[in-house]
Amino acid sequence: MTTEPPPIAPGPAAERPGGARPILVALAGQPNVGKSTVFNLLTGLDQHVGNWPGKTVERKEGAFTFEGKTYRLVDLPGTYSLTASSPEEVIAREFIIRERPDVVVALVDAAILERSLYLVAELVSLPAPVVVGLNMMDVARQEGMEIEPDVLAAALGLEVVPMTASRHVGVQQLVEAIARAARGDPLPAPRRPEIRADHRQVLTQIEERIAGWVPQPYPQDWVALKLLEGDEQVTLLMKESLPAERWEAVHQILRHHEDALLAVTSGRYEWIGRMIRAAVTRPRSGPIGLTERIDHWATHPLWGLVILAGVLGLTFWLTYTVGTPLLNLLDVYGVQVLAELARAGLAPISPWLAGLVADGVIGGAGFILTFLPILVIFFAVMGVLEDVGYMARAAFVMDGFMHLMGLHGKSFLPLFLGFGCNVPAVLGTRVIESRRARLLTALLAPLVPCTARMTVVAFLAPAFFGRAATLVSWGTVLLSLAVLAASGALIGRALFRGERAAFIMELPLYHLPNPRTIGLLVWQRTTEFVRKAGTVILPVSVVIWALSVLPGGSVESSYLAAFGRWLEPLGRLMGLDWRLIVALVSSFVAKENAIATLGVVLGAGEGSSLAQTLASTYAPASALAFLVVQVLFIPCVATVAALRQEAGWRWMFFSLGFQLSVSLAVGAAVYWAARAVGL
Amino acid sequence: MNRRHRRERCSCALLACPDGSVPLSALQPGESAEVAQVLCGHGLMCRMTSLGFTPGAEVTVVQNYGYGPLIAQVRGARVALGRGEAGQLYVRRKAA
């Protein structure tokens, strides 16, 4: 674009009180267009992740400076359109209408230009200057497409910046375009899509009737269009704003044009069609090459599952072979050394304080620290799978299985994250659109055996069962997955009857992973875990420690032991004595506490190892029942906190009660079955 | 829900409408067709149309094993659809 150097004109930002306020830029785009890559390139680590007020939708904000000015960049949720059908879409459009960003960057995928321009068609109807980032130019070229950005810009009446964000191409130009738009440089007026010809008159009729009655800051023509689309939120807004007889008139018109949604969306695609015909000089030649070939296997009903099993197996293998030695190293040389140092240093002052710091504080914090290697590796592998585009295929092949639980494929990703840690699994349920499916997935996520639970199994199974340990470990995993499936079917049928979620999901083109995007994803998930876990695990760890030494100072005579003995009649149903019950209770802080607690209450370390003591103390039936109950028991406190945040108090308590009863029932069943076969 | 959620299923049910349209799930892999009607509730219709399934759009079925979800290509993108959802999308086969 050849424009003259612009006069220093006061941009919208300068009109705001204070003048020096940073320029507000919103980043919009459909899912899978490389939005997070662009966001990360622009802001680096200078970003803040939180939630949109009152919503469980992630809000990312960052800042960058250019030519001495500060730009505040807000990442809008990735959405295909701006209807009111999901909280993400409402957030995106409300932000643009209410916060009035100085510039809205609309990122589109050049390789799927037709579909990804749809969001632009919605954005140009809103009152904000739009700059189009035409991303994935390299992929489009590989697909044999030729696009002329200048012609597209002229046709759209918007500035268009060709980019390949994964290779950092075009980012500088995008920033310059943002700066120009923020300065209020005369942007060519955008051409707006029009409603399909057969509905133009109706639109005018509605506009006439609502004229003057639309509350600020909503644009009148936009409201008219959304009314015709049948938008629930805007319909409610106008019903409240219009006098009754006026609303009745509007309502009458709308009732006669219930099919208008199709006319509006068709109008947008007609508009897109004109842009495409102008700017795309050569359409995609032939079928999608690489993606087609990979998907031939990856989405096959049988081979797709085989590939998925392989991918999952490899993920676990990598996580545990690399992560477990690191975990042990950190535990032995980091946490234990630190705890002993603290104990030795503080014991002369006060044995109480020494215990509090060494067992309560360092013990709790140590859990977080030692699990980091495993979580980082797991998150990294997951990040690669997500970024490459494979997770959508995994969701696709798992759709049939998820249907058994009344869910669909999309719930698979958060559940899979649960194998690493249940906390991100519960938080990850946000990707699911329907509230029912989101809630059900969050309730099921804690039934996925996480790394911490598996660590307990991996330690105890060889101690109890020697050679049969691998078999027992796999058995526990399979059993807990079977319980998960059964619980899903049960809860889904009993509590959410009649509501069925629709499965419709884009399968993005495969592309090479971007290390920066994955790195930041791992960083965000890990820090989120540390923040969540840290704030709840520490206090609960201290409380459990206090219960285990009060009032006498030894575990045997503690409140915790008394509690365990009190529950022993119940425990006997599962073959558990008070010590195993106490171990279960302590696992509420952090799952692998069960091992440490058993070590304490069994008085291991004098002559014989914990493994030997365990094997000689408990019958195989009890041991098996303990492993099963442990894997299915109520989740750790960090997961419970995440559940409360995502689902609310009521469902959190439901989840606790449900898992408590299920774990005890299944444990009892396993115990008596094992007894019956003579174990 | 509100007045817009009225369903207008074809009375001729499963196989074909008088205008010759069939559910998307009836197409074989590789077959192309034009979207004729989107017969579902308002919420799902919003999602279908924003993903590109509007009357007149060309759809090509990429994968359809006769059970489970299927994959269709529409407006340059690949979209996975549950069988139930694909059954609410009526398309007109193109003359070969």
Side-chain angles (χ1 to χ4, degrees), chain A residues 313-462:
Chain A
L314 206 65
T315 306
F316 292 132
W317 179 80
L318 207 66
T319 304
Y320 287 105
T321 43
V322 183
T324 311
L326 279 172
L327 181 146
N328 291 335
L329 220 63
L330 270 175
D331 189 30
V332 174
Y333 294 102
V335 178
Q336 288 183 18
V337 169
L338 205 63
E340 286 319 308
L341 275 178
R343 204 189 303 278
L346 293 170
I349 307 167
S350 151
W352 272 103
L353 190 65
L356 175 73
V357 173
D359 297 327
V361 177
I362 298 181
F367 158 72
I368 302 165
L369 178 69
T370 49
F371 266 87
L372 281 185
I374 281 195
L375 282 183
V376 166
I377 296 165
F378 187 79
F379 289 157
V381 177
M382 290 292 289
V384 171
L385 291 176
E386 272 177 72
D387 196 42
V388 161
Y390 179 72
M391 282 323 290
R393 275 72 185 183
F396 180 81
V397 293
M398 287 304 285
D399 185 59
F401 177 72
M402 305 303 283
H403 264 288
L404 295 178
M405 297 176 250
L407 293 171
H408 60 63
K410 266 196 185 174
S411 295
F412 177 68
L413 173 65
L415 288 184
F416 184 43
L417 264 175
F419 282 105
C421 173
N422 290 171
V423 175
V426 172
L427 301 177
T429 55
R430 293 169 189 176
V431 299
I432 304 158
E433 298 94 1
S434 105
R435 177 176 155 72
R436 165 198 175 275
R438 197 161 53 228
L439 197 55
L440 183 51
T441 312
L443 291 177
L444 293 180
L447 283 166
V448 178
C450 66
T451 42
R453 291 175 199 232
M454 289 318 293
T455 306
V456 178
V457 175
F459 179 83
L460 292 182

Side-chain angles (χ1 to χ4, degrees), chain A residues 206 209-210 227-228 235-236 238-239 242-258, chain B residues 2-4:
Chain A
I206 290 180
R209 279 166 183 73
I210 62 170
L227 280 175
L228 262 183
T235 307
L236 206 65
M238 289 317 293
K239 193 179 173 182
L242 285 175
E245 71 276 18
R246 227 166 231 277
W247 168 248
E248 198 41 49
V250 173
H251 193 67
Q252 281 299 331
I253 303 173
L254 293 177
R255 258 228 293 269
H256 282 101
H257 296 278
E258 290 192 343
Chain B
N2 68 24
R3 72 212 150 72
R4 284 173 180 271

Side-chain angles (χ1 to χ4, degrees), chain A residues 114 229 292 299 503 505 507, chain B residues 42 52 63 65 75 78 80 82:
Chain A
E114 189 177 2
E229 277 185 41
E292 187 111 317
T299 59
F503 180 52
M505 180 185 68
L507 298 178
Chain B
H42 187 255
Q63 177 181 314
Y65 284 96
R75 299 192 192 270
R78 303 176 138 233

